[in-house]
Amino acid sequence: MKRGNQTVITEFLLLGLPVDPNHQDLLYVLFLVMYLTTVLGNLIIIILIGSDSHLHTPMYLFLSNLSFSDLCFSSVTIPKMLQNMQSQVPAIPYAGCLTQMYFFLLFADLESFLLVAMAYDRYVAICFPLHYTSIMSPKLCLCLVSLSWVLTTIISSLHTLLMARLSFCADNVIPHFFCDMSALLKLACSDIQINEMMIFILGGLVIIVPFLLIFLSYAHIVSSILKVPSARGIRKAFSTCGSHLSVVSLFYGTIIGLYLCPSANNSTVKETVMAVMYTVVTPMLNPFIYSLRNQDIKGALGRILGSEKVSIGCTTEDLTLILSLRGEDTGTNDYIAGHLSEMSTFIKMKKNLMSLPFIAHLYKVTHVGSLLPHLSSSTDVPLSPT
C-alpha cells in the first residue's frame, strides 16, 4: 500500500556484521561465547548480591542494577544477531524493530546513569570516609536508582514515539546488526529534524553530563590519592580507578563518536565495530572489572559454596589499601591480615559454641576497635568495597 513515493513498511532487513561469509561460523561461535560469558557473569553477581546480606550496601545495590542492565542490554541485540547469522532472510518486523530500539535505549541510558551513581559512591567513600554512612543513606541510594529508571523510561519512550511517527521509503535494508536509531533515520522519507534535535538535547543529558560527572569524581579521587605518601597505595588505587575509567571511556567514547559527533568519513564497517564495542564488549567486561575480582564478591561466592567465613565489614584488601595510603608499614598490614585469618579460624568452632554470635561480635569489636587509632584520622581512604 503506497502513499505517493512512500511505502508502508512491515519489516526491515538487518544486514548484520559486514564479514566474509567464510568467517560467519567462526564469528557465530565467538559472539555466542561472549554472550554466554556476559549472561553468566552478570547472573552470578545478581545472585550473590541478592543472597548475601554482607553485600547489601550502596555500592552493591548499584552493581546489581548495573549487572541487570548489562544482562538485558546484551539480550536485546545479540540473540537476534545470532539468529540472523543462521538465517537466509534476516528480517525483523516493524513493531519488533521499534521494540528493540526502545529496550536498547532504555538499558543503554540506564547503564549511563548507574555508572554516575557508582562514581559518586566511590567519590564519597574515598574523599569523605567518615561521613560515608550518613551521606550514602538507603533512602538516597533508592532515590538514585529509581530516578535512573524513571529518566531512562521517559527518554527511550520519547525517542520511540518520535520514530513511530516517521514514514519510510521502499528501501527497508538496515546496514547494521540491530535496529539502530541513526540507521533508521537514514531510511525515513519524512522530516527528521525533530528527531535529530532530540538526539542532541537528550544525548547531552544521557551521555555528556554523566561522562563529565564521572571524570570529575575520579579527578577528585586522584587528587585525594596523590596527597598521601605511600607509593604502594597509590599504585593500587590507580590500578582500580584505571580499570574503571578504561571501561567507562570505552562505553562513552564509542557512543559519543557514533551519535553526537558522527563523521561523514565513517564507513559502515567502522560504525559496526564501534557498536560492537559498547553493545557486546563492555557488558562482558563490566562483571570482571567491577565485581568478580572483588574480595567481597569472592567471599560471598565462598560462603554460598560452603566456605565458612565471616565478614567484618571490610576486606583485607580494603584495610591494606587504607593503611598503605596512610603510610603505615607492612608490619601493621600483616597484623590486620593475621587477625582476619584468626577470625576465620575462630568461626570454624561455631558448631561447638552455642554462644558464638555474642563471642564473634565481641571479638570483632575488640580487634577491629584496635584498628581505629590507625583509621580515625584518615579522611582520604574508604572503608567500602572497591
Side-chain angles (χ1 to χ4, degrees):
M1 176 177 162
K2 296 186 178 181
R3 299 174 184 171
N5 64 340
Q6 298 178 357
T7 304
V8 176
I9 297 294
T10 59
E11 67 178 15
F12 293 98
L13 297 179
L14 297 171
L15 291 185
L17 300 173
V19 296
D20 190 321
N22 295 327
H23 301 152
Q24 195 88 339
D25 292 337
L26 178 62
L27 281 178
Y28 179 86
V29 173
L30 175 63
F31 280 100
L32 178 61
V33 171
M34 294 175 71
Y35 176 64
L36 293 177
T37 302
T38 302
V39 172
L40 181 61
N42 286 291
L43 274 179
I44 289 175
I45 293 172
I46 293 172
I47 293 173
L48 289 178
I49 294 176
S51 60
D52 196 309
S53 60
H54 298 92
L55 301 181
H56 294 173
T57 62
M59 185 61 174
Y60 292 112
L61 171 65
F62 299 139
L63 275 174
S64 62
N65 278 269
L66 181 68
S67 294
F68 179 77
S69 175
D70 282 335
L71 177 61
C72 296
F73 187 42
S74 296
S75 299
V76 167
T77 57
I78 300 181
K80 182 62 178 175
M81 179 185 69
L82 294 175
Q83 178 190 349
N84 289 343
M85 291 176 73
Q86 299 296 314
S87 174
Q88 298 297 325
V89 184
I92 183 171
Y94 173 80
C97 189
L98 290 184
T99 302
Q100 186 186 57
M101 190 191 80
Y102 169 79
F103 284 107
F104 176 84
L105 293 173
L106 174 68
F107 292 113
D109 295 348
L110 179 62
E111 177 155 348
S112 179
F113 288 127
L114 289 174
L115 288 174
V116 176
M118 292 170 62
Y120 177 69
D121 175 85
R122 187 162 282 106
Y123 161 72
V124 174
I126 293 179
C127 297
F128 304 98
L130 300 182
H131 303 284
Y132 177 81
T133 304
S134 60
I135 296 176
M136 298 303 297
S137 63
K139 182 179 180 180
L140 176 62
C141 296
L142 290 176
C143 285
L144 290 175
V145 172
S146 300
L147 183 62
S148 299
W149 278 96
V150 171
L151 286 177
T152 54
T153 301
I154 293 174
I155 293 171
S156 57
S157 298
L158 182 58
H159 280 305
T160 305
L161 291 174
L162 288 174
M163 185 66 69
R165 73 180 182 85
L166 299 179
S167 300
F168 294 90
C169 301
D171 186 10
N172 66 338
V173 178
I174 300 177
H176 220 307
F177 62 91
F178 67 97
C179 290
D180 181 56
M181 184 167 53
S182 60
L184 285 172
L185 289 177
K186 293 178 182 178
L187 300 180
C189 293
S190 49
D191 185 18
I192 62 173
Q193 185 176 357
I194 297 178
N195 297 71
E196 291 179 334
M197 180 179 66
M198 295 307 298
I199 288 176
F200 278 97
I201 294 175
L202 297 179
L205 173 64
V206 176
I207 301 174
I208 300 299
V209 173
F211 183 66
L212 293 177
L213 288 175
I214 290 173
F215 266 85
L216 184 63
S217 66
Y218 276 100
H220 282 90
I221 291 172
V222 170
S223 177
S224 297
I225 292 173
L226 291 177
K227 293 178 182 178
V228 297
S230 172
R232 178 185 178 187
I234 290 176
R235 284 195 304 270
K236 184 175 180 59
F238 271 112
S239 173
T240 301
C241 294
S243 60
H244 295 174
L245 283 176
S246 62
V247 175
V248 167
S249 300
L250 180 65
F251 178 74
Y252 284 104
T254 52
I255 291 179
I256 291 173
L258 276 175
Y259 298 106
L260 297 186
C261 303
S263 173
N265 298 324
N266 281 354
S267 64
T268 301
V269 175
K270 183 178 179 181
E271 290 181 350
T272 303
V273 171
M274 293 173 70
V276 167
M277 294 304 291
Y278 75 87
T279 59
V280 181
V281 177
T282 302
M284 182 185 68
L285 291 179
N286 277 344
F288 298 97
I289 295 298
Y290 285 102
S291 298
L292 294 183
R293 68 176 193 168
N294 186 292
Q295 294 299 323
D296 289 338
I297 293 291
K298 292 179 181 178
L301 183 61
R303 285 188 287 273
I304 286 183
L305 296 178
S307 177
E308 300 180 72
K309 294 181 180 180
V310 171
S311 171
I312 64 171
C314 54
T315 64
T316 308
E317 181 180 286
D318 293 325
L319 294 175
T320 302
L321 174 59
I322 290 170
L323 294 181
S324 296
L325 291 175
R326 289 278 299 150
E328 303 289 349
D329 57 22
T330 55
T332 307
N333 298 339
D334 294 339
Y335 168 79
I336 294 174
H339 279 295
L340 289 177
S341 176
E342 188 179 336
M343 180 72 175
S344 298
T345 303
F346 178 71
I347 295 304
K348 292 179 181 179
M349 300 169 58
K350 68 179 181 180
K351 294 182 180 180
N352 301 322
L353 295 174
M354 298 299 293
S355 59
L356 177 62
F358 169 76
I359 296 175
H361 177 72
L362 183 61
Y363 187 91
K364 286 162 54 179
V365 170
T366 302
H367 287 79
V368 176
S370 65
L371 301 176
L372 293 181
H374 299 283
L375 307 179
S376 59
S377 61
S378 172
T379 57
D380 297 317
V381 187
L383 278 172
S384 69
T386 57

